[in-house]
């Protein structure tokens, strides 16, 4: 039996899902794969078929890049204020359709519906943030040099490629794409094959409100075909990839072969350093929320909990009790606190790490394992808490599930050493009532982002990005991101006597 049908779809969502297959959007037109192939997406919470989506190939990707290239001269020649009219209209249309888009996103990604609404809102807010920033950015600078008149201008690059993962589909589009558009570039977006729907909906909405054709193109398909063809396309002028380090290396190499500037936003294995002066229950609560948000499928999550040895037992106990109470359930059910993971493969990955971690000697303070949600055949797992040696596989590798690994530290230096003993470098946090100590530790942890007495906070204007195996090339969400989408050009002429 499957109880998903007791959560009715909005009529607009039902209509959207009924396309067979649902087409990509290229140059403002619906585009099916030339060879007619398609793939299926599933509701992770019920394992039911959700939609059939077109699986584009290399020649289709070439059409999309051509459409973006054709749209570039007109889009880039608009004044920033003229582009802003289009972009703000798009933000308004997204706001008006928020419940529809949130339902599509929740069904496609297995995301709690209220979390999906927040993700759509982040996309809207970021679109407005970069649009307004572009209105005020200085694009022409006079240089003070002796004997010459000299100046620089900032110019958009041209058509830009984007590849996104399945965990935050619409939110990551919001972080990544608006700065490119506001700066005057055109885009080709490839969403993940597990979660292609919100990107298609966005492109259709843009078309519906009169956004110029070819400025936003969305191509759906498999990573090894559509994704690889996009990453290797020689006519793209900039590239942005968000996903795993393994695929990030392939995309970086493909861009390198064309000398296309590329930014990579990759995985993580973040630490939370917890000192012995914290409010134990309050900190356990915050970290439990962090590791169960979107079932732990969050790149910057706190997955290694480094706890001062004096409070280890009490802290572990508080965390295990708090995690055990999490209500796992269907993502469309308002009573659920944690939904499914994205697919059967991801569930097997999480369960595999639990088994391997324990085989290597980790203690299970909370066992985790498959979760049964009566009436739903989706991909559910329970939160788990392991403890032990930081060399354990479950402490070293990105699991991407609701699994935290507890390790003790002796003193501040030991905590920093443990936090930095990783190939990743995305985001860590430090928890202490002593703000001077917390500041020292935050600055000593080697990563793109350090949070103090918080985890997973992303105010607009604060750069977010990773280093080492977590990425390179600039990050997102700050004024620098807008400037990444302008190239600099200098002009110089001998000064007239
Ligand atoms: P993934 O690397 O498997 O896939 C990401 C995208 O790459 C998908 O669209 C996929 O179709 C495409 N792809 C796959 N093979 C390709 C190829 N050969 N060439 C070009 N494209 C290809 O990642 P995932 O499993 O979808 O997402 C999870 C990963 O993403 C985790 O490692 C997570 O930490 C990371 N992530 C990072 C951030 C960040 O901001 N740093 C944000 C979200 C997710």
């Amino acid at each position: 039996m499957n109880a998903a049908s007791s959560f009715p779809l909005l009529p607009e969502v039902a209509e959207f899902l009924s396309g067979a297959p649902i087409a990509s959007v290229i140059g403002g037109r619906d585009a099916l794969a030339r060879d007619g192939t398609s793939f299926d997406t599933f509701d992770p919470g019920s394992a039911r078929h959700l939609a059939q989506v077109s699986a584009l190939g290399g020649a289709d990707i070439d059409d999309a890049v051509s459409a973006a290239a054709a749209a570039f001269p007109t889009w880039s020649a608009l004044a920033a204020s003229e582009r802003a009219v289009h972009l703000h209209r798009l933000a308004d249309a997204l706001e008006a359709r928020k419940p529809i888009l949130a339902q599509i996103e929740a069904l496609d990604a297995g995301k709690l519906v209220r979390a999906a609404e927040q993700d759509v809102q982040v996309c809207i807010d970021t679109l407005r943030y970069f649009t307004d920033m572009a209105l005020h950015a200085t694009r022409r600078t006079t240089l003070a040099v002796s004997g010459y008149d000299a100046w620089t201008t900032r110019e958009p690059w041209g058509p830009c490629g984007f590849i996104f993962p399945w965990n935050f589909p619409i939110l990551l589009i919001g972080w990544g794409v608006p700065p490119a558009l506001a700066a005057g570039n055109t885009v080709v977006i490839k969403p993940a094959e597990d979660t292609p729907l919100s990107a298609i909906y966005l492109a259709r909405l843009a078309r519906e409100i009169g956004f110029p054709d070819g400025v936003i193109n969305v191509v759906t398909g498999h990573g090894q075909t559509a994704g690889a063809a996009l990453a290797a396309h020689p006519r793209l002028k900039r590239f942005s990839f968000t996903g795993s380090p393994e695929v990030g290396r392939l995309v970086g190499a493909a861009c390198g072969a064309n000398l296309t500037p590329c930014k990579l936003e990759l995985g993580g294995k973040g630490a939370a350093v917890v000192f012995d002066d914290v409010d134990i229950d309050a900190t356990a609560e915050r970290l439990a929320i962090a590791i169960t948000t979107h079932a732990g499928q969050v790149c910057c999550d706190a997955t290694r909990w480094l706890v001062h040895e004096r409070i280890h037992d009490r802290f572990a106990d508080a965390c295990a009790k708090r995690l055990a109470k999490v209500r796992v359930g269907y993502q469309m059910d308002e009573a659920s606190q944690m939904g499914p993971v994205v697919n059967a493969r991801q569930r097997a990955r999480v369960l595999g790490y639990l088994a391997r971690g324990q085989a290597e000697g980790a203690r299970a303070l909370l066992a985790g394992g498959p979760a049964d949600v009566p009436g739903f055949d989706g991909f559910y797992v329970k939160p788990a808490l392991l403890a032990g040696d930081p060399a354990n596989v479950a402490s070293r590798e990105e699991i991407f599930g609701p699994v935290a690994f507890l390790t003790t530290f002796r003193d501040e230096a030991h905590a920093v050493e443990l936090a930095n003993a990783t190939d990743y470098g995305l985001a860590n946090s430090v928890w202490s009532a002593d703000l001077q100590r917390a500041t020292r530790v935050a600055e000593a942890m080697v990563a793109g982002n350090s949070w103090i007495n918080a985890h997973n906070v992303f105010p607009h204007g604060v750069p977010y990005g990773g280093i080492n195996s977590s990425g390179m090339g600039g990050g997102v969400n700050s004024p620098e991101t807008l400037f990444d989408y302008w190239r600099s050009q200098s002009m110089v002429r001998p000064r007239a006597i």
Side-chain angles (χ1 to χ4, degrees), residues 57-84:
D60 308 307
I61 300 302
D62 196 47
D63 289 346
V65 176
S66 295
F72 175 69
T74 306
W75 180 247
S76 59
L78 293 179
S81 56
E82 294 169 314
R83 277 196 296 274

Side-chain angles (χ1 to χ4, degrees), residues 105 108-109 111 119 162-176 189-199 221 223 240-245 247-248 251 264-267 294 297-300 342-343 345-346 398 400 426 464:
E105 186 80 331
D108 206 18
K111 201 172 269 279
D119 288 2
F162 288 85
I163 295 180
F164 291 108
W166 45 258
N167 60 339
F168 285 88
I170 195 70
L171 180 147
L172 291 172
I173 287 179
W175 276 1
I189 301 168
K190 195 207 93 61
E193 42 276 66
D194 278 301
T195 56
L197 300 180
S198 54
S240 169
F241 171 83
T242 311
S244 63
V247 178
V251 170
L264 303 175
E265 312 284 337
L266 309 177
H294 197 27
Q297 302 165 115
V298 182
C299 50
C300 51
V342 74
N343 56 29
R345 195 176 62 250
Q346 192 62 23
E398 185 180 43
F400 231 48
L426 187 51
Y464 172 78

Side-chain angles (χ1 to χ4, degrees), residues 122 171 175 298 300 427 449 451 455-462 464 477:
V122 170
L171 180 147
W175 276 1
V298 182
C300 51
N449 316 270
W451 291 300
H455 206 101
N456 293 343
V457 285
F458 312 96
H460 285 142
V462 178
Y464 172 78
N477 212 24

Side-chain angles (χ1 to χ4, degrees), residues 262-348:
C262 166
K263 59 167 85 187
L264 303 175
E265 312 284 337
L266 309 177
K269 191 71 189 178
V273 172
V274 183
F275 281 96
D276 56 352
D277 57 356
V278 297
D279 176 329
I280 289 182
D281 287 332
T283 308
E285 167 79 12
R286 304 282 287 283
L287 288 179
I289 290 172
I291 197 65
T292 53
T293 294
H294 197 27
Q297 302 165 115
V298 182
C299 50
C300 51
D301 220 335
T303 51
R304 296 179 293 141
W305 295 358
L306 309 178
V307 182
H308 192 277
E309 57 192 9
R310 253 197 301 274
I311 61 164
H312 174 272
D313 291 352
R314 281 181 293 145
F315 187 74
D317 188 50
C319 291
K321 282 195 179 120
R322 174 61 182 78
L323 286 170
K325 283 194 203 139
V326 171
R327 263 198 313 277
V328 180
Y330 188 46
Q331 71 269 22
M332 310 307 286
D333 183 345
E334 296 283 349
S336 301
Q337 292 174 322
M338 189 176 90
V341 296
V342 74
N343 56 29
R345 195 176 62 250
Q346 192 62 23
R347 182 174 57 184

